[in-house]
Amino acid sequence: MKHSFGSIVKAYREPKRLTQLELAVKSKGELSTATISKAETDPSYNPKLTTFIKFYKIMDVPFEEIVATLEGNADDK
């Protein structure tokens, strides 16, 4: 099953018990709470490549895993 980018962000953020604000702080200003909120609530949100890279690095998710999840080729999170 394919997932929206925001649903993936939320699926990785919540088990780490991070709020959107805490994720923004962890990004050291690279991601705002508004960006995180938009990503998680707007199913059509399609981040720029630079924003996508910031998300997966800050969340410490392997690039291949997040792409596979987006494509629907990974186990459901």
Side-chain angles (χ1 to χ4, degrees), residues 6-77:
S7 69
I8 295 168
V9 170
K10 191 172 186 176
Y12 282 97
R13 178 181 61 77
E14 288 184 334
K16 293 180 180 191
R17 299 183 184 261
L18 291 172
T19 65
Q20 291 177 351
L21 177 60
E22 290 167 333
L23 184 58
V25 169
K26 185 176 178 181
S27 80
K28 298 180 181 156
E30 296 207 9
L31 298 171
S32 68
T33 53
T35 299
I36 296 165
S37 177
K38 182 172 176 83
E40 289 187 5
T41 59
D42 182 354
S44 65
Y45 178 77
N46 191 15
K48 294 182 207 175
L49 180 59
T50 55
T51 303
F52 177 86
I53 291 168
K54 288 173 189 173
F55 268 109
Y56 87 79
K57 284 184 175 181
I58 291 162
M59 292 186 308
D60 196 29
V61 177
F63 176 79
E64 296 80 11
E65 186 175 330
I66 206 166
V67 170
T69 303
L70 280 169
E71 292 177 343
N73 297 327
D75 294 331
D76 283 342
K77 279 268 165 227

